[in-house]
Structure formats: structure tokens, C-alpha cells
Amino acid sequence: MHTRSAVLYSIVIYILSFILGIFGLIIFGFDTNLTTVPTEIYLYGIAISILLMMIFTRTYFQKSKIKPNAVSGAYFGFTTIVVGFLFDFLIGIVPLLFTEHGPDIMAYYSHPLFWANLAAIPVTSAITGSYLQKSSLTTKKTATKKSSKKS
């Protein structure tokens, strides 16, 4: 695994999911005065996570010249989770420590759909890595058959 590439792509994923998450809040008309996050927001987040992980896992394997497989994909997913938690801590949790009133961050992190989203990240990247591995093997077999027919 190319750690530097994985971390850089994970930062981009975090930024894009943050921006797309804000759009989701606007689309679903999220009331910032609520103390709990509506289910629609969690489901939207899961869909965004899966989409971004599919796109960036593919890009990660193409740009870093790592042979795609499920294990490398899962490692990339776990790297994305670690980077996400670090940014959440720096951007979200630390400022909350200095305010009297704010959203109940523990309610968000303890919600079952948050954990489903978290699980979807390495699973999606592992499946994407496995798919890319199989498709590259199929491409190589097809290329070998074509070259042997020409001979």
C-alpha cells in the first residue's frame, strides 16, 4: 500500500463528503436546532460514502500502480476511516469542547447507521479492489488469447 497516496485520497474523500453532506443537509431541510440527526441524513451519507469509495478506490489503484485486490482495497478503506476520524476530531470535536451548547456528538457516533456507514467504507473499497483484480485478469487473458491467435 502506498500510504502517502492513500492518505491524500482520503483527505480528498473527506473534503468531498463534507461538501456533499452540507448539500444533503440543505436538500433534506435539516433543522440545526434538532438534537438528533434524521435517518435520511444517515442514509444519504451512506450512499455518498459508497459512491466516493468506489470512485476513489479505482483512482487509487490506477494512479498508484498497486495491483488491485480486496485486501489492498480494505486497507485503503481503513486508511480513509482513520483520516476521517482525525479530521472529525480536529474540525468537529475540539471546537465543541469549548462551547456550552452544541449538537450531541456522541449521539451521532453511537447511532447504528453511523456504524453501518463506517462498515460500508472498507467493504466497498475491498469489493471494488476485488472487482478490479478480476477485470484486470480477464483483460490479460483476452489479450493473451488475441496475441496467440495472431501467431
Side-chain angles (χ1 to χ4, degrees):
M1 179 174 92
H2 289 140
T3 305
R4 183 172 182 249
S5 296
V7 169
L8 290 175
Y9 282 122
S10 296
I11 291 170
V12 172
I13 291 167
Y14 184 86
I15 292 168
L16 287 174
S17 65
F18 188 82
I19 292 168
L20 292 171
I22 291 171
F23 285 136
L25 294 176
I26 294 168
I27 290 168
F28 291 108
F30 179 67
D31 182 6
T32 55
N33 294 324
L34 293 176
T35 57
T36 60
V37 178
T39 302
E40 294 85 8
I41 300 297
Y42 284 107
L43 296 175
Y44 175 80
I46 291 169
I48 293 300
S49 293
I50 290 171
L51 180 66
L52 289 175
M53 288 311 296
M54 288 170 52
I55 292 168
F56 281 94
T57 300
R58 181 181 175 97
T59 305
Y60 168 72
F61 283 123
Q62 287 176 339
K63 300 291 182 181
S64 64
K65 307 278 192 281
I66 295 174
K67 290 184 181 180
N69 60 55
V71 173
S72 295
Y75 283 144
F76 176 64
F78 288 122
T79 302
T80 302
I81 289 172
V82 169
V83 168
F85 270 123
L86 289 174
F87 274 89
D88 276 355
F89 182 75
L90 294 174
I91 294 171
I93 296 174
V94 171
L96 286 176
L97 298 175
F98 299 104
T99 60
E100 284 185 38
H101 302 290
D104 184 4
I105 198 76
M106 290 314 294
Y108 176 76
Y109 283 121
S110 62
H111 196 283
L113 287 174
F114 169 78
W115 291 99
N117 190 4
L118 210 61
I121 292 170
V123 169
T124 301
S125 55
I127 291 170
T128 303
S130 178
Y131 173 79
L132 292 172
Q133 179 184 25
K134 290 176 184 174
S135 68
S136 68
L137 291 175
T138 305
T139 305
K140 288 178 185 176
K141 287 179 184 177
T142 306
T144 306
K145 286 180 183 179
K146 286 183 181 180
S147 65
S148 65
K149 285 182 181 179
K150 290 182 180 180
S151 301

